[in-house]
Amino acid sequence: MAHEHLTDSCLFCKIIRQVHNKVKGIICKGGTNAPMDFLLCRGEIPSNKIAETDKRGTNVYPLLPVGQLVIPKYHAEFFHQVPEDYLADLLPLAKKVAVAQGFEQYNLLQNNGPMAHQVVKHVHFHIINKPNKDEGLGIVWPQQQVTQDQLKGTLSKIKEKL
Amino acid sequence: MAHEHLTDSCLFCKIIRQVHNKVKGIICKGGTNAPMDFLLCRGEIPSNKIAETDKRGTNVYPLLPVGQLVIPKYHAEFFHQVPEDYLADLLPLAKKVAVAQGFEQYNLLQNNGPMAHQVVKHVHFHIINKPNKDEGLGIVWPQQQVTQDQLKGTLSKIKEKL
């Protein structure tokens, strides 16, 4: 597949184009809702390709034994910037990898923006195993009160723009 | 669209079939990694349909002003049980809703299994706004050391089963 939608500067584009085969350590703060730092990887981790789809272009890479990355072969910082045909290809491939891994409980997570825990500025989905309560992804979702009027407002705002 | 892949007992199936139009309060513990309870909704929240695709069957519902649910019209507890054509339809619709909402930073999250924070046993993707550090999704991802041999083992195990 041609790489016309990839850049020369992005780490994930380089990995997809196979001009770089390692992910360097990325340690990030989890924000105020997450009291601990969380770790994507430490040191240099080889970015071996697990699977790919040629037609629309999606790659899967291992990052940790507990998780994989599904990366579209299209350079975009945010999910909403990825064309629909690339998006349609992502989840069926993620399913294959989840099945091959034999995960029983797990999370799919895709982050947009530094506040929302995105580190590498190229859209990617994490497939994260949850083998027990202590490993894998923990989430913190502060409580929020909401009125029916607020909900109606949100709904009509979205419908207007759809 | 016919509802041959929906059940009579699942809350989300009922909402899709429009025989039930409210989501009752669901408060769940976030597990040991998440020190606070997190809240999907409190009280009864109307499950208004925002958008749907008929062909393969995906619905989007609002749950909170900060987030929406994208729900396949196919009853499956786990992501890896959903047929590929339903999966392919999910993200393009999620993109439309994220764009209509005007979210700048946000997360997509899909949970599989009670330890992995799944509450309703019908596959669903959360689209969660992250307007500031305190609201929206916080994540906790404990550090894990990994050797290159472990990574190679994971890789060959997956490739064997793909």
Side-chain angles (χ1 to χ4, degrees):
Chain A
M1 165 161 173
H3 290 143
E4 65 266 38
H5 301 298
L6 300 174
T7 71
D8 288 331
S9 55
C10 162
L11 173 63
F12 283 178
C13 286
K14 283 182 187 170
I15 287 173
I16 292 167
R17 288 161 50 226
Q18 301 189 310
V19 297
H20 195 87
N21 66 357
K22 283 183 179 172
V23 183
K24 281 211 178 185
I26 299 167
I27 299 174
C28 31
K29 289 275 183 191
T32 53
N33 289 335
M36 298 159 61
D37 292 351
F38 61 92
L39 182 72
L40 284 183
C41 58
R42 170 167 283 174
E44 288 207 322
I45 293 194
S47 57
N48 296 295
K49 190 187 293 177
I50 294 174
E52 68 182 317
T53 60
D54 277 336
K55 194 179 154 204
R56 296 196 191 97
T58 299
N59 280 73
V60 183
Y61 290 97
L63 189 62
L64 287 175
V66 295
Q68 279 74 42
L69 288 182
V70 187
I71 308 173
K73 291 180 188 171
Y74 183 98
H75 183 75
E77 184 173 348
F78 294 102
F79 169 72
H80 59 263
Q81 295 167 336
V82 179
E84 278 71 5
D85 54 348
Y86 286 78
L87 290 181
D89 218 31
L90 272 164
L91 295 184
L93 191 62
K95 172 183 168 175
K96 277 184 197 150
V97 175
V99 169
Q101 278 276 62
F103 287 167
E104 292 184 2
Q105 300 198 35
Y106 57 99
N107 301 91
L108 296 188
L109 176 67
Q110 192 274 325
N111 303 323
N112 296 281
M115 277 196 312
H117 324 293
Q118 184 178 14
V119 179
V120 178
K121 293 181 177 180
H122 181 127
V123 169
H124 52 285
F125 278 73
H126 299 271
I127 310 174
I128 309 161
N129 194 17
K130 186 75 180 172
N132 55 58
K133 283 192 177 179
D134 296 321
E135 291 179 62
L137 188 72
I139 68 176
V140 185
W141 200 337
Q143 299 193 10
Q144 186 168 10
Q145 298 296 333
V146 57
T147 65
Q148 301 238 343
D149 280 348
Q150 283 175 307
L151 273 174
K152 276 183 199 160
T154 303
L155 182 65
S156 59
K157 200 186 84 179
I158 299 174
K159 284 199 165 176
E160 224 169 69
K161 294 187 182 170
L162 265 179
Chain B
M1 166 162 172
H3 290 142
E4 66 264 40
H5 301 298
L6 300 174
T7 71
D8 288 330
S9 55
C10 163
L11 173 64
F12 283 178
C13 287
K14 284 181 187 170
I15 286 172
I16 292 167
R17 287 161 51 227
Q18 300 188 311
V19 296
H20 194 87
N21 66 357
K22 283 184 178 172
V23 183
K24 281 211 175 185
I26 299 166
I27 299 173
C28 32
K29 289 275 184 192
T32 53
N33 289 335
M36 297 159 61
D37 293 352
F38 60 92
L39 182 72
L40 285 182
C41 58
R42 170 166 285 175
E44 287 207 322
I45 294 195
S47 57
N48 296 295
K49 191 186 292 177
I50 295 174
E52 68 181 318
T53 61
D54 277 336
K55 194 178 154 205
R56 296 195 191 97
T58 299
N59 280 74
V60 184
Y61 289 98
L63 190 60
L64 287 176
V66 296
Q68 280 74 42
L69 289 182
V70 187
I71 308 174
K73 291 180 189 172
Y74 183 99
H75 183 74
E77 184 172 349
F78 293 102
F79 169 73
H80 59 263
Q81 296 167 337
V82 179
E84 277 72 4
D85 53 349
Y86 287 78
L87 291 181
D89 218 31
L90 273 164
L91 295 184
L93 191 61
K95 172 183 167 176
K96 276 184 197 150
V97 175
V99 169
Q101 279 275 62
F103 288 167
E104 291 184 2
Q105 301 199 33
Y106 58 99
N107 302 92
L108 296 187
L109 177 67
Q110 191 274 324
N111 303 323
N112 295 281
M115 276 196 313
H117 324 293
Q118 185 178 13
V119 179
V120 178
K121 293 182 177 178
H122 181 127
V123 169
H124 53 285
F125 278 73
H126 299 270
I127 310 174
I128 309 161
N129 194 18
K130 186 75 179 172
N132 54 57
K133 283 191 177 178
D134 296 322
E135 290 180 62
L137 187 72
I139 69 176
V140 186
W141 200 336
Q143 298 193 10
Q144 184 168 13
Q145 297 296 333
V146 56
T147 67
Q148 301 239 344
D149 280 348
Q150 284 175 306
L151 272 175
K152 277 183 198 160
T154 303
L155 182 65
S156 60
K157 200 185 83 178
I158 299 175
K159 286 198 164 175
E160 225 168 69
K161 293 187 183 170
L162 264 178

